[in-house]
Amino acid sequence: MYDIGSIYQATSVADAIRALQENPEALVIAGGTDVLIKIREGKLAGCSLVSIHELGEELGGITLAANGDVEIGPLSTFRDVTFSGVIRDKIPVLGEATDMAGGPQLRAAGTIGGNVCNGITSADSASTLTALDAVLVVRGPAGERQVPISQWYKGVGKVDLAQDELLVKILISRENYEGFTGHYIKYAMRNAMDIATLGVSCLVKLSADKQTAETVRLAFGVAGPVPMRAPAAEAAVSGLPIEEAIGQIGKAALQDVNPRTSWRASREFRLQLVEELSGRALREAARKGGAAV
């Protein structure tokens, strides 16, 4: 059973913001794949909800802007992202990452906006969006503001989103994806229907002769309390011959991460995964870019 105190179906983004202002205890529900589980477990028993599920006209869709930026509506489901022609053409690594979330039922209902707003480091889209330097566009009573994803995550389950604000768009600028190829690896205890023990997303821009990793971006989920970039590793291997970069990136990444021990895996095992999977992700990203690796 779901113990829900009240639920209000918003008719527009402005209407949802008004409803959240009027009820400071209200929570937003979209796909419901996170919120409903918490209600069923009793963690949010008796809560008030503001549903934005029907606001697809304002909050859905994945488009390519005139300047080349990719704009993702937060109500886009994981499946929408995976099968979007824009994503497949411009940022296929993001579609590959969202296709690893849960099972088919969750991917058909869960939204990329919810995946970002729940603030969980194991979220499958989070490390790739972090590697892409995505920008989150938020709207509230005071208007719109833009939050770089590097400033979005404030702690476990905490993001830079006020109770009466909504995420209305995810922006990925052309300069942050053009010329890059990427690969996401999700290590989990099962091959499907599981939460990541570690997630790693690597993007690489190769030289014209496909011999050098000119620019490398590396980001992790579950390597710390929030999704994170690996600046030391990126600096250490950008500009190196590709095979040399593959050999060094994992060890360099150990300077950037701070995983914890949990029932899923020990800190030591996660560090081993960081070292091993970073090289694998870079190798595959380079292969996709045309490198002979």
Side-chain angles (χ1 to χ4, degrees):
M1 295 291 293
Y2 294 94
D3 182 3
I4 298 172
S6 66
I7 183 165
Y8 176 75
Q9 178 63 63
T11 58
S12 66
V13 169
D15 185 44
I17 293 170
R18 178 197 58 77
L20 290 169
Q21 279 187 285
E22 291 180 356
N23 184 353
E25 302 301 318
L27 303 173
V28 173
I29 185 170
T33 56
D34 287 322
V35 172
L36 289 177
I37 290 173
K38 292 178 181 178
I39 293 173
R40 187 181 63 190
E41 293 175 344
K43 297 175 182 177
L44 298 175
C47 66
S48 298
L49 300 175
V50 174
S51 173
I52 60 171
H53 187 265
E54 302 300 322
L55 304 186
E57 189 170 333
E58 288 187 83
L59 298 179
I62 300 168
T63 58
L64 187 66
N67 64 358
D69 292 353
V70 173
E71 301 182 349
I72 304 173
L75 279 187
S76 301
T77 65
F78 295 116
R79 190 178 188 279
D80 291 337
V81 177
T82 297
F83 290 99
S84 162
V86 172
I87 296 298
R88 287 186 163 187
D89 182 45
K90 302 297 183 182
I91 321 173
V93 62
L94 181 58
E96 293 164 7
T98 55
D99 199 38
M100 294 185 188
Q105 296 93 337
L106 181 140
R107 293 194 293 272
T111 64
I112 190 168
N115 207 223
V116 170
C117 289
N118 67 17
I120 303 301
T121 184
S122 59
D124 284 301
S125 66
S127 55
T128 300
L129 289 172
T130 299
L132 288 163
D133 275 341
V135 172
L136 294 310
V137 182
V138 171
R139 189 181 304 165
E144 282 192 359
R145 61 191 180 93
Q146 296 190 356
V147 185
I149 199 164
S150 61
Q151 300 172 26
W152 177 253
Y153 296 98
K154 299 301 183 182
V156 178
K158 298 178 181 179
V159 297
D160 187 10
L161 185 71
Q163 182 272 338
D164 57 1
E165 290 182 317
L166 290 180
L167 174 65
V168 295
K169 191 178 295 182
I170 300 171
L171 292 176
I172 301 169
S173 70
R174 180 176 181 175
E175 67 184 54
N176 284 324
Y177 72 78
E178 192 169 59
F180 287 92
T181 49
H183 188 64
Y184 173 71
I185 298 176
K186 175 181 181 176
Y187 185 95
M189 298 170 70
R190 299 182 298 189
N191 291 331
M193 300 286 286
D194 204 357
I195 295 171
T197 302
L198 187 86
V200 54
S201 192
C202 187
L203 308 179
V204 62
K205 183 180 290 187
L206 298 172
S207 59
D209 63 5
K210 311 297 184 183
Q211 300 296 310
T212 302
E214 287 190 344
T215 305
V216 175
R217 294 182 180 174
L218 184 66
F220 295 100
V222 210
V226 299
M228 59 176 60
R229 285 279 289 273
E234 293 175 356
V237 303
S238 291
L240 293 182
I242 187 62
E243 287 291 354
E244 190 175 340
I246 291 169
Q248 294 188 23
I249 191 169
K251 195 165 290 294
L254 296 177
Q255 303 174 57
D256 296 302
V257 300
N258 185 29
R260 68 181 181 93
T261 293
S262 72
W263 70 269
R264 291 183 179 276
S266 67
R267 169 183 168 84
E268 291 73 20
F269 182 58
R270 285 194 168 100
L271 289 171
Q272 182 180 348
L273 290 176
V274 166
E275 186 170 358
E276 176 63 29
L277 297 185
S278 297
R280 292 189 190 185
L282 176 54
R283 181 179 296 278
E284 185 61 15
R287 185 197 67 77
K288 291 176 180 177
V293 292

